[in-house]
Amino acid sequence: MSSVPHYRRIADSLVDAIRSGSLEVGARVPSERELSAEFGVSRMTARGALKTLVEQGFVNSVEAKGYFVAASRIDQRLQTLTSFTEDMRRSGRRPSSIVLAARKAEAAGEVAARLAVAEGASVYHLLRLREADAVPVALEAAHIPESMAPGLIESADFASDSLYATLKQRFGILPVEAEQSFEASAAGESDAAILRVPIGAPVLRLTRLSLDAAGRPLEFVQSVYRGDRFTMRVRLAPGSTDA
Ligand code: 16G
């Protein structure tokens, strides 16, 4: 007899059905009554399974209608400084990118200020549509000082290669510290078209400034993440605001 509680076993089998596509996004999930009959458990156990799936974001509960398969969200853990490629692989998804721009540019305004380079200094501009299992999920505009990684753009194919892996392998540099900010926003016309969401759909605007081991700014990234695809998760330690 397995030690996995019955509600967990039912939840797991529904997750398998969702992952395999036999229960598609928007499909009705069997009700408490149906699950209790199918698995030979009490209604309360069946309810526990459905509640677990709602908490994990696999299923939405619709008042008086039942439970429905939710569009799957990417669970993004924020305590480590990881790349998109690593995040997607960890969540069992296949990362890919469409390179919309990869060129040299002159630093100006906020980009120059955040990278602490002079206005007009040479930076690489890398604009990528990031995909998870071939679905567009984020638009990332990265700026990297040319002096940090001369020849960066020519040294990789960013449709498939990871920026962080390229920086590490080709240039021996790594982001070791970063500051990231999040703002809720609505997709404008061009972001909506690229991310394939309706105009005005909720998005998160993220910025990340990463520093290398010597504390030098390495990348300044302005991203637009689809609001319906991500859950940002952070673990909080006890502390006090006046620490
Ligand atoms: C993440 C980073 C981005 C970085 C990218 C590198 C955000 C919020 N986060 O998406 O700063 O450039 O990973 O990913 O933008 P890669 O190594 O897979 O190319």
Side-chain angles (χ1 to χ4, degrees):
M1 175 86 190
S2 116
S3 59
V4 180
H6 289 312
Y7 81 91
R8 195 57 271 176
R9 210 163 37 77
I10 299 169
D12 287 348
S13 88
L14 289 170
V15 168
D16 286 346
I18 292 169
R19 288 226 164 100
S20 71
S22 63
L23 267 178
E24 289 178 5
V25 171
R28 195 178 70 82
V29 175
S31 65
E32 264 174 50
R33 192 174 42 76
E34 288 162 340
L35 288 175
S36 70
E38 186 184 338
F39 289 89
V41 296
S42 69
R43 293 274 294 253
M44 212 174 86
T45 301
R47 189 176 315 142
L50 290 165
K51 235 182 98 198
T52 305
L53 294 179
V54 171
E55 280 161 10
Q56 293 178 332
F58 286 108
V59 156
N60 292 323
S61 142
V62 181
E63 186 79 33
K65 290 228 160 75
Y67 295 87
F68 297 86
V69 179
S72 75
R73 283 174 169 269
I74 299 162
D75 196 63
Q76 188 95 333
R77 312 264 166 90
L78 295 174
Q79 38 266 60
T80 47
L81 176 43
T82 46
S83 70
F84 182 86
T85 302
E86 292 169 306
D87 293 339
M88 291 312 114
R89 293 207 173 124
R90 191 190 48 76
S91 72
R93 294 175 166 85
R94 192 174 46 80
S96 57
S97 302
I98 296 174
V99 178
L100 302 174
R103 58 183 166 81
K104 232 191 262 191
E106 290 187 357
E110 190 182 3
V111 170
R114 298 297 296 272
L115 290 175
V117 297
E119 295 264 339
S122 188
V123 291
Y124 291 115
H125 172 55
L126 181 58
L127 178 64
R128 289 178 293 174
L129 176 62
R130 316 295 314 253
E131 298 173 320
D133 290 338
V135 175
V137 292
L139 184 61
E140 292 188 337
H143 285 92
I144 297 123
E146 185 189 11
S147 58
M148 297 293 282
L152 173 70
I153 293 296
E154 300 77 42
S155 63
D157 174 4
F158 290 109
S160 51
D161 294 341
S162 151
L163 171 63
Y164 284 6
T166 304
L167 288 170
K168 183 175 171 200
Q169 287 154 14
R170 300 282 168 92
F171 300 92
I173 41 176
L174 257 192
V176 298
E177 194 188 329
E179 185 178 288
Q180 190 160 308
S181 68
F182 302 79
E183 277 178 22
S185 180
E189 206 173 318
S190 93
D191 290 345
I194 294 170
L195 290 169
R196 287 198 242 132
V197 294
I199 294 173
V203 292
L204 277 171
R205 293 190 193 278
L206 275 62
T207 66
R208 182 185 284 191
L209 178 71
S210 310
L211 310 178
D212 74 354
R216 292 173 301 183
L218 176 57
E219 61 157 8
F220 177 54
V221 186
Q222 293 161 301
S223 311
V224 185
Y225 275 53
R226 277 176 61 163
D228 61 342
R229 289 289 169 172
F230 288 89
T231 295
M232 302 296 180
R233 192 179 298 277
V234 65
R235 189 174 290 274
L236 304 176
S240 110
T241 48
D242 49 29

